[in-house]
Amino acid sequence: MAKPTDEARLAVLIDADNASAQHLERLLVEIAKYGTATVRRAYGDWTSTQLAKWKPVLLAHSVQPIQQFGYTTGKNSTDSALIIDAMDLLHGGTVDGFCLVSSDSDFTRLAARIREQGLMAYGFGQKKTPKPFVAACTKFVYVENLGGAEAAPKAAAAPEAKATKAKPAATPEGTAAKAKPALKGDTKLDRLLSEAVETSADDDGWANLSSVGQNLSRLASDFDSRSWGFAKLTDLLKAHPGYDVQSRSPGDGKPKVSVVRSKPRK
């Protein structure tokens, strides 16, 4: 089974009908964390004006446009072309994993089939992506977490923001603090963290942070600390009122590692 290392060869297959061109650059940067995008293809009817925004960025990022005409109204021939090419690559043995860029649930079975074959299936889509597709992927990343103007929280549109004239609190560096979702009382987050830490904890309750991160990925393919406003899992756990995080040395001159445990209940 291929592992998500820098040497992993990845096929990036983009459903241009269900993905935004403005995310492409940040998307490829994210994909580079998991391996090398040796295959880069975007599928759609490129004679359509609806995909006009894609054309300038395809050449800039060496993405090959795959033309697929819409022969019949109401039928998505683009999905079929992408799936056929994915199966050819899957059985060709030239890649170690796939990056499926779409918010369409039609690729749920494809992601599951890739995993059955022992390869990594990474999904990338909007937060509106149907849960079956998200769950079928080895890991799913929401494009809203990749940054950019569209992904930033629209605080100005919130009724509460209009009702107050108070200025946002400043960080020690003098910049305005970004609003983060509340961690206390988030039952889904609490359940995931509790299970992930407990699974890897030693007799004293301490768990290696790296193991906790791996457990979280297995428990929820779409787990991402950025969904709660934190760049790293370490930052999220340090901010969470229910956990202690420490940096410890295993001894014998080895570098320090981060460990975490649940705080004792009062």
Short mmCIF file of all heavy atoms in Angstrom, two decimals, residues 11-78:
data_model
loop_
_atom_site.label_atom_id
_atom_site.label_comp_id
_atom_site.label_asym_id
_atom_site.label_seq_id
_atom_site.Cartn_x
_atom_site.Cartn_y
_atom_site.Cartn_z
N ALA A 11 -2.41 11.31 -8.98
CA ALA A 11 -3.17 11.75 -10.15
C ALA A 11 -4.22 12.75 -9.68
O ALA A 11 -5.09 12.40 -8.88
CB ALA A 11 -3.84 10.56 -10.83
N VAL A 12 -4.11 13.98 -10.14
CA VAL A 12 -5.05 15.03 -9.77
C VAL A 12 -6.10 15.13 -10.88
O VAL A 12 -5.80 15.52 -12.00
CB VAL A 12 -4.35 16.39 -9.60
CG1 VAL A 12 -5.35 17.47 -9.20
CG2 VAL A 12 -3.24 16.28 -8.56
N LEU A 13 -7.32 14.73 -10.55
CA LEU A 13 -8.41 14.72 -11.52
C LEU A 13 -9.47 15.72 -11.05
O LEU A 13 -10.07 15.55 -10.00
CB LEU A 13 -9.01 13.31 -11.64
CG LEU A 13 -8.00 12.19 -11.95
CD1 LEU A 13 -8.71 10.85 -12.05
CD2 LEU A 13 -7.22 12.49 -13.22
N ILE A 14 -9.68 16.76 -11.86
CA ILE A 14 -10.55 17.87 -11.46
C ILE A 14 -11.84 17.86 -12.25
O ILE A 14 -11.84 17.83 -13.49
CB ILE A 14 -9.82 19.21 -11.69
CG1 ILE A 14 -8.49 19.25 -10.91
CG2 ILE A 14 -10.71 20.39 -11.28
CD1 ILE A 14 -7.62 20.45 -11.27
N ASP A 15 -12.94 17.88 -11.55
CA ASP A 15 -14.26 18.05 -12.15
C ASP A 15 -14.51 19.55 -12.24
O ASP A 15 -15.01 20.16 -11.29
CB ASP A 15 -15.32 17.35 -11.28
CG ASP A 15 -16.74 17.58 -11.78
OD1 ASP A 15 -16.89 18.07 -12.92
OD2 ASP A 15 -17.68 17.29 -11.02
N ALA A 16 -14.14 20.13 -13.37
CA ALA A 16 -14.19 21.59 -13.51
C ALA A 16 -15.61 22.14 -13.38
O ALA A 16 -15.79 23.31 -13.02
CB ALA A 16 -13.59 22.02 -14.84
N ASP A 17 -16.60 21.31 -13.64
CA ASP A 17 -17.99 21.75 -13.51
C ASP A 17 -18.38 21.97 -12.04
O ASP A 17 -19.31 22.70 -11.75
CB ASP A 17 -18.94 20.71 -14.11
CG ASP A 17 -18.78 20.57 -15.61
OD1 ASP A 17 -18.37 21.56 -16.25
OD2 ASP A 17 -19.07 19.48 -16.15
N ASN A 18 -17.65 21.32 -11.14
CA ASN A 18 -17.99 21.39 -9.71
C ASN A 18 -16.81 21.85 -8.86
O ASN A 18 -16.70 21.47 -7.70
CB ASN A 18 -18.46 20.01 -9.22
CG ASN A 18 -19.89 19.73 -9.61
OD1 ASN A 18 -20.83 20.28 -9.04
ND2 ASN A 18 -20.07 18.88 -10.61
N ALA A 19 -15.94 22.64 -9.43
CA ALA A 19 -14.79 23.18 -8.70
C ALA A 19 -14.51 24.59 -9.20
O ALA A 19 -14.83 24.93 -10.34
CB ALA A 19 -13.56 22.29 -8.89
N SER A 20 -13.89 25.40 -8.34
CA SER A 20 -13.63 26.79 -8.69
C SER A 20 -12.17 26.98 -9.11
O SER A 20 -11.25 26.49 -8.44
CB SER A 20 -13.94 27.69 -7.49
OG SER A 20 -13.56 29.03 -7.77
N ALA A 21 -11.97 27.69 -10.19
CA ALA A 21 -10.62 27.93 -10.71
C ALA A 21 -9.77 28.75 -9.74
O ALA A 21 -8.55 28.61 -9.71
CB ALA A 21 -10.70 28.65 -12.05
N GLN A 22 -10.40 29.57 -8.92
CA GLN A 22 -9.64 30.45 -8.03
C GLN A 22 -8.92 29.68 -6.93
O GLN A 22 -8.01 30.20 -6.30
CB GLN A 22 -10.56 31.50 -7.41
CG GLN A 22 -11.57 30.94 -6.43
CD GLN A 22 -12.38 32.05 -5.78
OE1 GLN A 22 -11.95 33.20 -5.73
NE2 GLN A 22 -13.55 31.70 -5.29
N HIS A 23 -9.32 28.43 -6.70
CA HIS A 23 -8.68 27.63 -5.66
C HIS A 23 -7.51 26.81 -6.17
O HIS A 23 -6.82 26.18 -5.37
CB HIS A 23 -9.69 26.67 -5.04
CG HIS A 23 -10.79 27.33 -4.27
ND1 HIS A 23 -10.56 28.17 -3.21
CD2 HIS A 23 -12.14 27.29 -4.42
CE1 HIS A 23 -11.71 28.62 -2.73
NE2 HIS A 23 -12.68 28.10 -3.45
N LEU A 24 -7.27 26.81 -7.49
CA LEU A 24 -6.31 25.85 -8.06
C LEU A 24 -4.91 25.97 -7.48
O LEU A 24 -4.29 24.96 -7.11
CB LEU A 24 -6.26 26.01 -9.59
CG LEU A 24 -5.33 25.01 -10.30
CD1 LEU A 24 -5.75 23.58 -10.01
CD2 LEU A 24 -5.33 25.27 -11.81
N GLU A 25 -4.37 27.18 -7.41
CA GLU A 25 -3.00 27.34 -6.92
C GLU A 25 -2.85 26.85 -5.48
O GLU A 25 -1.93 26.08 -5.17
CB GLU A 25 -2.57 28.81 -7.02
CG GLU A 25 -1.12 29.03 -6.58
CD GLU A 25 -0.65 30.46 -6.81
OE1 GLU A 25 -1.45 31.28 -7.33
OE2 GLU A 25 0.51 30.76 -6.47
N ARG A 26 -3.76 27.25 -4.60
CA ARG A 26 -3.70 26.81 -3.21
C ARG A 26 -3.97 25.31 -3.09
O ARG A 26 -3.43 24.64 -2.21
CB ARG A 26 -4.72 27.60 -2.37
CG ARG A 26 -4.42 29.09 -2.30
CD ARG A 26 -5.34 29.79 -1.33
NE ARG A 26 -6.73 29.73 -1.75
CZ ARG A 26 -7.29 30.61 -2.57
NH1 ARG A 26 -6.57 31.61 -3.07
NH2 ARG A 26 -8.56 30.50 -2.89
N LEU A 27 -4.78 24.81 -4.00
CA LEU A 27 -5.09 23.38 -4.01
C LEU A 27 -3.85 22.55 -4.32
O LEU A 27 -3.55 21.56 -3.66
CB LEU A 27 -6.17 23.11 -5.06
CG LEU A 27 -6.66 21.67 -5.20
CD1 LEU A 27 -7.47 21.27 -3.97
CD2 LEU A 27 -7.51 21.52 -6.45
N LEU A 28 -3.07 22.98 -5.30
CA LEU A 28 -1.86 22.26 -5.67
C LEU A 28 -0.80 22.34 -4.57
O LEU A 28 -0.03 21.40 -4.37
CB LEU A 28 -1.30 22.80 -6.99
CG LEU A 28 -2.17 22.51 -8.23
CD1 LEU A 28 -1.61 23.23 -9.46
CD2 LEU A 28 -2.27 21.02 -8.49
N VAL A 29 -0.76 23.45 -3.86
CA VAL A 29 0.16 23.58 -2.72
C VAL A 29 -0.23 22.57 -1.63
O VAL A 29 0.63 21.91 -1.03
CB VAL A 29 0.14 25.01 -2.15
CG1 VAL A 29 0.91 25.09 -0.84
CG2 VAL A 29 0.72 26.00 -3.17
N GLU A 30 -1.52 22.43 -1.38
CA GLU A 30 -2.01 21.47 -0.39
C GLU A 30 -1.69 20.03 -0.83
O GLU A 30 -1.25 19.21 -0.02
CB GLU A 30 -3.52 21.64 -0.21
CG GLU A 30 -4.15 20.71 0.81
CD GLU A 30 -3.83 21.07 2.25
OE1 GLU A 30 -3.35 22.20 2.47
OE2 GLU A 30 -4.07 20.23 3.14
N ILE A 31 -1.89 19.74 -2.09
CA ILE A 31 -1.64 18.40 -2.61
C ILE A 31 -0.17 18.03 -2.49
O ILE A 31 0.18 16.87 -2.28
CB ILE A 31 -2.12 18.31 -4.08
CG1 ILE A 31 -3.66 18.34 -4.12
CG2 ILE A 31 -1.59 17.05 -4.77
CD1 ILE A 31 -4.23 18.43 -5.52
N ALA A 32 0.72 19.02 -2.60
CA ALA A 32 2.16 18.77 -2.49
C ALA A 32 2.54 18.21 -1.13
O ALA A 32 3.61 17.61 -0.98
CB ALA A 32 2.94 20.05 -2.77
N LYS A 33 1.68 18.37 -0.12
CA LYS A 33 1.95 17.80 1.21
C LYS A 33 1.86 16.27 1.18
O LYS A 33 2.46 15.59 2.02
CB LYS A 33 0.96 18.33 2.24
CG LYS A 33 1.01 19.84 2.46
CD LYS A 33 -0.05 20.27 3.45
CE LYS A 33 -0.06 21.77 3.67
NZ LYS A 33 -1.14 22.18 4.61
N TYR A 34 1.10 15.75 0.24
CA TYR A 34 0.85 14.32 0.20
C TYR A 34 1.67 13.58 -0.86
O TYR A 34 1.78 12.36 -0.81
CB TYR A 34 -0.64 14.07 -0.06
CG TYR A 34 -1.53 14.84 0.87
CD1 TYR A 34 -2.34 15.88 0.40
CD2 TYR A 34 -1.57 14.57 2.23
CE1 TYR A 34 -3.14 16.62 1.26
CE2 TYR A 34 -2.36 15.30 3.10
CZ TYR A 34 -3.15 16.32 2.61
OH TYR A 34 -3.95 17.04 3.46
N GLY A 35 2.24 14.30 -1.80
CA GLY A 35 3.03 13.65 -2.83
C GLY A 35 3.25 14.56 -4.03
O GLY A 35 3.05 15.78 -3.95
N THR A 36 3.63 13.97 -5.15
CA THR A 36 3.90 14.72 -6.38
C THR A 36 2.78 14.51 -7.38
O THR A 36 2.44 13.36 -7.70
CB THR A 36 5.23 14.28 -7.02
OG1 THR A 36 6.29 14.46 -6.06
CG2 THR A 36 5.54 15.07 -8.27
N ALA A 37 2.22 15.59 -7.87
CA ALA A 37 1.11 15.51 -8.83
C ALA A 37 1.67 15.20 -10.21
O ALA A 37 1.92 16.10 -11.01
CB ALA A 37 0.32 16.81 -8.83
N THR A 38 1.87 13.93 -10.50
CA THR A 38 2.44 13.53 -11.78
C THR A 38 1.42 13.60 -12.91
O THR A 38 1.78 13.78 -14.07
CB THR A 38 3.00 12.10 -11.70
OG1 THR A 38 1.97 11.21 -11.25
CG2 THR A 38 4.16 12.03 -10.72
N VAL A 39 0.14 13.45 -12.58
CA VAL A 39 -0.94 13.57 -13.57
C VAL A 39 -1.84 14.71 -13.13
O VAL A 39 -2.29 14.75 -11.99
CB VAL A 39 -1.76 12.26 -13.66
CG1 VAL A 39 -2.93 12.43 -14.63
CG2 VAL A 39 -0.88 11.10 -14.10
N ARG A 40 -2.09 15.65 -14.04
CA ARG A 40 -2.94 16.80 -13.72
C ARG A 40 -3.94 16.99 -14.86
O ARG A 40 -3.56 17.41 -15.96
CB ARG A 40 -2.12 18.07 -13.54
CG ARG A 40 -1.04 17.98 -12.46
CD ARG A 40 -0.30 19.29 -12.30
NE ARG A 40 0.76 19.21 -11.31
CZ ARG A 40 1.45 20.27 -10.88
NH1 ARG A 40 1.18 21.48 -11.35
NH2 ARG A 40 2.42 20.11 -9.98
N ARG A 41 -5.19 16.69 -14.61
CA ARG A 41 -6.20 16.79 -15.64
C ARG A 41 -7.45 17.48 -15.10
O ARG A 41 -7.83 17.25 -13.96
CB ARG A 41 -6.57 15.41 -16.18
CG ARG A 41 -5.41 14.64 -16.78
CD ARG A 41 -5.84 13.24 -17.19
NE ARG A 41 -4.72 12.44 -17.65
CZ ARG A 41 -4.79 11.14 -17.97
NH1 ARG A 41 -5.96 10.51 -17.87
NH2 ARG A 41 -3.72 10.49 -18.38
N ALA A 42 -8.06 18.29 -15.96
CA ALA A 42 -9.31 18.95 -15.61
C ALA A 42 -10.34 18.61 -16.69
O ALA A 42 -10.08 18.76 -17.88
CB ALA A 42 -9.13 20.46 -15.51
N TYR A 43 -11.52 18.16 -16.26
CA TYR A 43 -12.54 17.67 -17.17
C TYR A 43 -13.70 18.64 -17.27
O TYR A 43 -14.17 19.17 -16.27
CB TYR A 43 -13.05 16.31 -16.69
CG TYR A 43 -11.99 15.23 -16.70
CD1 TYR A 43 -11.03 15.18 -15.69
CD2 TYR A 43 -11.94 14.27 -17.70
CE1 TYR A 43 -10.04 14.20 -15.68
CE2 TYR A 43 -10.95 13.29 -17.71
CZ TYR A 43 -10.01 13.27 -16.69
OH TYR A 43 -9.03 12.29 -16.70
N GLY A 44 -14.17 18.86 -18.52
CA GLY A 44 -15.31 19.73 -18.72
C GLY A 44 -15.52 20.00 -20.20
O GLY A 44 -14.74 19.55 -21.05
N ASP A 45 -16.57 20.72 -20.51
CA ASP A 45 -16.83 21.14 -21.88
C ASP A 45 -16.18 22.51 -22.07
O ASP A 45 -16.75 23.54 -21.70
CB ASP A 45 -18.34 21.22 -22.13
CG ASP A 45 -18.67 21.59 -23.58
OD1 ASP A 45 -17.73 21.83 -24.37
OD2 ASP A 45 -19.87 21.63 -23.92
N TRP A 46 -14.99 22.51 -22.61
CA TRP A 46 -14.20 23.73 -22.69
C TRP A 46 -14.68 24.68 -23.78
O TRP A 46 -14.12 25.77 -23.95
CB TRP A 46 -12.72 23.39 -22.87
CG TRP A 46 -12.23 22.57 -21.72
CD1 TRP A 46 -11.99 21.24 -21.70
CD2 TRP A 46 -11.98 23.04 -20.39
NE1 TRP A 46 -11.60 20.83 -20.44
CE2 TRP A 46 -11.58 21.91 -19.62
CE3 TRP A 46 -12.06 24.28 -19.77
CZ2 TRP A 46 -11.27 22.01 -18.27
CZ3 TRP A 46 -11.74 24.38 -18.43
CH2 TRP A 46 -11.36 23.25 -17.69
N THR A 47 -15.71 24.27 -24.54
CA THR A 47 -16.33 25.19 -25.49
C THR A 47 -17.38 26.05 -24.81
O THR A 47 -17.88 27.01 -25.39
CB THR A 47 -17.00 24.41 -26.64
OG1 THR A 47 -18.07 23.61 -26.11
CG2 THR A 47 -16.00 23.50 -27.33
N SER A 48 -17.69 25.70 -23.55
CA SER A 48 -18.70 26.44 -22.80
C SER A 48 -18.10 27.68 -22.14
O SER A 48 -16.98 27.66 -21.64
CB SER A 48 -19.31 25.53 -21.73
OG SER A 48 -20.13 26.27 -20.84
N THR A 49 -18.87 28.76 -22.12
CA THR A 49 -18.41 30.00 -21.48
C THR A 49 -18.37 29.87 -19.96
O THR A 49 -17.73 30.68 -19.29
CB THR A 49 -19.34 31.16 -21.86
OG1 THR A 49 -20.69 30.84 -21.50
CG2 THR A 49 -19.29 31.42 -23.37
N GLN A 50 -19.05 28.87 -19.42
CA GLN A 50 -19.09 28.69 -17.97
C GLN A 50 -17.72 28.33 -17.39
O GLN A 50 -17.48 28.53 -16.19
CB GLN A 50 -20.10 27.60 -17.61
CG GLN A 50 -21.53 27.97 -17.95
CD GLN A 50 -22.52 26.89 -17.59
OE1 GLN A 50 -22.14 25.78 -17.20
NE2 GLN A 50 -23.80 27.19 -17.71
N LEU A 51 -16.83 27.80 -18.22
CA LEU A 51 -15.50 27.41 -17.74
C LEU A 51 -14.42 28.41 -18.17
O LEU A 51 -13.22 28.09 -18.11
CB LEU A 51 -15.14 26.01 -18.27
CG LEU A 51 -16.08 24.88 -17.84
CD1 LEU A 51 -15.57 23.54 -18.38
CD2 LEU A 51 -16.22 24.82 -16.33
N ALA A 52 -14.83 29.59 -18.57
CA ALA A 52 -13.88 30.59 -19.08
C ALA A 52 -12.81 30.95 -18.05
O ALA A 52 -11.64 31.18 -18.40
CB ALA A 52 -14.63 31.84 -19.52
N LYS A 53 -13.16 31.00 -16.77
CA LYS A 53 -12.19 31.37 -15.73
C LYS A 53 -11.11 30.32 -15.53
O LYS A 53 -10.05 30.61 -14.96
CB LYS A 53 -12.92 31.64 -14.41
CG LYS A 53 -13.81 32.86 -14.44
CD LYS A 53 -14.47 33.10 -13.09
CE LYS A 53 -15.34 34.33 -13.10
NZ LYS A 53 -15.99 34.60 -11.78
N TRP A 54 -11.37 29.11 -15.98
CA TRP A 54 -10.40 28.03 -15.81
C TRP A 54 -9.23 28.15 -16.80
O TRP A 54 -8.09 27.79 -16.48
CB TRP A 54 -11.07 26.68 -16.01
CG TRP A 54 -11.68 26.10 -14.78
CD1 TRP A 54 -12.99 26.13 -14.42
CD2 TRP A 54 -10.99 25.42 -13.73
NE1 TRP A 54 -13.17 25.51 -13.22
CE2 TRP A 54 -11.96 25.05 -12.77
CE3 TRP A 54 -9.66 25.07 -13.51
CZ2 TRP A 54 -11.63 24.36 -11.61
CZ3 TRP A 54 -9.34 24.38 -12.36
CH2 TRP A 54 -10.29 24.03 -11.42
N LYS A 55 -9.52 28.62 -17.99
CA LYS A 55 -8.53 28.56 -19.08
C LYS A 55 -7.21 29.26 -18.76
O LYS A 55 -6.15 28.71 -19.05
CB LYS A 55 -9.16 29.11 -20.36
CG LYS A 55 -10.32 28.25 -20.85
CD LYS A 55 -10.97 28.80 -22.11
CE LYS A 55 -12.15 27.93 -22.54
NZ LYS A 55 -12.81 28.45 -23.75
N PRO A 56 -7.19 30.45 -18.17
CA PRO A 56 -5.89 31.09 -17.89
C PRO A 56 -5.03 30.33 -16.88
O PRO A 56 -3.80 30.35 -16.96
CB PRO A 56 -6.29 32.47 -17.35
CG PRO A 56 -7.68 32.69 -17.80
CD PRO A 56 -8.31 31.33 -17.81
N VAL A 57 -5.67 29.68 -15.89
CA VAL A 57 -4.89 29.03 -14.83
C VAL A 57 -4.44 27.62 -15.20
O VAL A 57 -3.51 27.09 -14.60
CB VAL A 57 -5.70 28.98 -13.51
CG1 VAL A 57 -6.01 30.38 -13.04
CG2 VAL A 57 -6.97 28.17 -13.66
N LEU A 58 -5.08 27.00 -16.19
CA LEU A 58 -4.69 25.64 -16.57
C LEU A 58 -3.26 25.61 -17.10
O LEU A 58 -2.44 24.78 -16.69
CB LEU A 58 -5.65 25.10 -17.64
CG LEU A 58 -7.09 24.82 -17.20
CD1 LEU A 58 -7.91 24.32 -18.38
CD2 LEU A 58 -7.13 23.82 -16.06
N LEU A 59 -2.94 26.51 -18.01
CA LEU A 59 -1.60 26.56 -18.59
C LEU A 59 -0.57 26.94 -17.55
O LEU A 59 0.53 26.37 -17.50
CB LEU A 59 -1.57 27.56 -19.75
CG LEU A 59 -0.22 27.71 -20.49
CD1 LEU A 59 0.19 26.38 -21.11
CD2 LEU A 59 -0.32 28.80 -21.56
N ALA A 60 -0.91 27.88 -16.68
CA ALA A 60 0.03 28.36 -15.66
C ALA A 60 0.45 27.24 -14.71
O ALA A 60 1.55 27.28 -14.15
CB ALA A 60 -0.58 29.52 -14.88
N HIS A 61 -0.43 26.25 -14.50
CA HIS A 61 -0.14 25.18 -13.54
C HIS A 61 -0.02 23.81 -14.20
O HIS A 61 -0.10 22.78 -13.53
CB HIS A 61 -1.22 25.16 -12.46
CG HIS A 61 -1.27 26.41 -11.64
ND1 HIS A 61 -0.33 26.71 -10.69
CD2 HIS A 61 -2.14 27.46 -11.66
CE1 HIS A 61 -0.61 27.88 -10.14
NE2 HIS A 61 -1.70 28.36 -10.71
N SER A 62 0.18 23.82 -15.50
CA SER A 62 0.42 22.58 -16.25
C SER A 62 -0.68 21.54 -16.03
O SER A 62 -0.41 20.37 -15.79
CB SER A 62 1.79 21.98 -15.87
OG SER A 62 2.12 20.91 -16.73
N VAL A 63 -1.91 22.00 -16.10
CA VAL A 63 -3.07 21.10 -15.98
C VAL A 63 -3.64 20.87 -17.36
O VAL A 63 -3.92 21.82 -18.10
CB VAL A 63 -4.15 21.71 -15.06
CG1 VAL A 63 -5.36 20.78 -15.00
CG2 VAL A 63 -3.59 21.93 -13.66
N GLN A 64 -3.79 19.62 -17.73
CA GLN A 64 -4.27 19.27 -19.06
C GLN A 64 -5.79 19.29 -19.12
O GLN A 64 -6.46 18.55 -18.39
CB GLN A 64 -3.78 17.87 -19.46
CG GLN A 64 -4.24 17.44 -20.85
CD GLN A 64 -3.81 16.02 -21.18
OE1 GLN A 64 -3.25 15.32 -20.34
NE2 GLN A 64 -4.09 15.59 -22.40
N PRO A 65 -6.37 20.13 -19.99
CA PRO A 65 -7.83 20.15 -20.11
C PRO A 65 -8.30 18.95 -20.95
O PRO A 65 -7.79 18.71 -22.04
CB PRO A 65 -8.12 21.47 -20.81
CG PRO A 65 -6.88 21.75 -21.60
CD PRO A 65 -5.73 21.16 -20.82
N ILE A 66 -9.26 18.21 -20.44
CA ILE A 66 -9.83 17.07 -21.16
C ILE A 66 -11.22 17.47 -21.63
O ILE A 66 -12.12 17.70 -20.82
CB ILE A 66 -9.91 15.82 -20.26
CG1 ILE A 66 -8.53 15.50 -19.68
CG2 ILE A 66 -10.46 14.64 -21.05
CD1 ILE A 66 -7.47 15.15 -20.72
N GLN A 67 -11.39 17.55 -22.94
CA GLN A 67 -12.65 17.99 -23.52
C GLN A 67 -13.70 16.88 -23.47
O GLN A 67 -13.43 15.74 -23.82
CB GLN A 67 -12.44 18.43 -24.98
CG GLN A 67 -13.71 18.71 -25.75
CD GLN A 67 -14.49 19.88 -25.17
OE1 GLN A 67 -13.92 20.80 -24.58
NE2 GLN A 67 -15.80 19.86 -25.32
N GLN A 68 -14.87 17.24 -22.97
CA GLN A 68 -15.99 16.30 -22.95
C GLN A 68 -17.27 17.07 -23.27
O GLN A 68 -17.74 17.86 -22.47
CB GLN A 68 -16.10 15.62 -21.58
CG GLN A 68 -17.12 14.51 -21.54
CD GLN A 68 -16.78 13.37 -22.48
OE1 GLN A 68 -15.62 13.01 -22.63
NE2 GLN A 68 -17.79 12.80 -23.11
N PHE A 69 -17.80 16.84 -24.46
CA PHE A 69 -19.01 17.53 -24.86
C PHE A 69 -20.22 17.02 -24.08
O PHE A 69 -20.29 15.84 -23.73
CB PHE A 69 -19.27 17.33 -26.37
CG PHE A 69 -18.27 18.01 -27.25
CD1 PHE A 69 -17.26 17.30 -27.86
CD2 PHE A 69 -18.34 19.39 -27.47
CE1 PHE A 69 -16.33 17.92 -28.68
CE2 PHE A 69 -17.41 20.01 -28.30
CZ PHE A 69 -16.41 19.28 -28.90
N GLY A 70 -21.16 17.93 -23.82
CA GLY A 70 -22.41 17.54 -23.18
C GLY A 70 -23.38 17.08 -24.25
O GLY A 70 -24.12 17.90 -24.81
N TYR A 71 -23.37 15.79 -24.54
CA TYR A 71 -24.17 15.28 -25.65
C TYR A 71 -25.67 15.33 -25.37
O TYR A 71 -26.48 15.55 -26.26
CB TYR A 71 -23.78 13.82 -25.95
CG TYR A 71 -22.35 13.67 -26.38
CD1 TYR A 71 -21.41 13.07 -25.55
CD2 TYR A 71 -21.92 14.15 -27.61
CE1 TYR A 71 -20.08 12.93 -25.93
CE2 TYR A 71 -20.59 14.02 -28.01
CZ TYR A 71 -19.68 13.41 -27.16
OH TYR A 71 -18.37 13.30 -27.55
N THR A 72 -26.05 15.13 -24.12
CA THR A 72 -27.47 15.07 -23.78
C THR A 72 -27.76 15.97 -22.59
O THR A 72 -27.04 15.94 -21.59
CB THR A 72 -27.88 13.62 -23.41
OG1 THR A 72 -27.51 12.77 -24.48
CG2 THR A 72 -29.39 13.54 -23.18
N THR A 73 -28.80 16.74 -22.69
CA THR A 73 -29.18 17.62 -21.59
C THR A 73 -29.59 16.81 -20.36
O THR A 73 -30.35 15.85 -20.46
CB THR A 73 -30.37 18.52 -22.01
OG1 THR A 73 -30.01 19.27 -23.18
CG2 THR A 73 -30.74 19.47 -20.88
N GLY A 74 -29.05 17.20 -19.21
CA GLY A 74 -29.39 16.51 -17.96
C GLY A 74 -28.46 15.36 -17.64
O GLY A 74 -28.57 14.76 -16.57
N LYS A 75 -27.54 15.01 -18.56
CA LYS A 75 -26.60 13.92 -18.32
C LYS A 75 -25.20 14.51 -18.18
O LYS A 75 -24.78 15.33 -19.00
CB LYS A 75 -26.63 12.90 -19.46
CG LYS A 75 -27.98 12.23 -19.67
CD LYS A 75 -28.34 11.32 -18.51
CE LYS A 75 -29.65 10.59 -18.77
NZ LYS A 75 -30.03 9.70 -17.66
N ASN A 76 -24.47 14.11 -17.14
CA ASN A 76 -23.14 14.65 -16.91
C ASN A 76 -22.09 13.71 -17.50
O ASN A 76 -21.63 12.78 -16.84
CB ASN A 76 -22.89 14.84 -15.42
CG ASN A 76 -21.72 15.77 -15.16
OD1 ASN A 76 -20.81 15.87 -15.98
ND2 ASN A 76 -21.72 16.44 -14.03
N SER A 77 -21.72 13.97 -18.74
CA SER A 77 -20.72 13.14 -19.40
C SER A 77 -19.33 13.40 -18.86
O SER A 77 -18.43 12.57 -18.99
CB SER A 77 -20.74 13.39 -20.92
OG SER A 77 -20.58 14.77 -21.20
N THR A 78 -19.12 14.57 -18.23
CA THR A 78 -17.83 14.89 -17.64
C THR A 78 -17.47 13.90 -16.54
O THR A 78 -16.35 13.41 -16.46
CB THR A 78 -17.84 16.32 -17.06
OG1 THR A 78 -18.05 17.26 -18.12
CG2 THR A 78 -16.52 16.63 -16.37
#
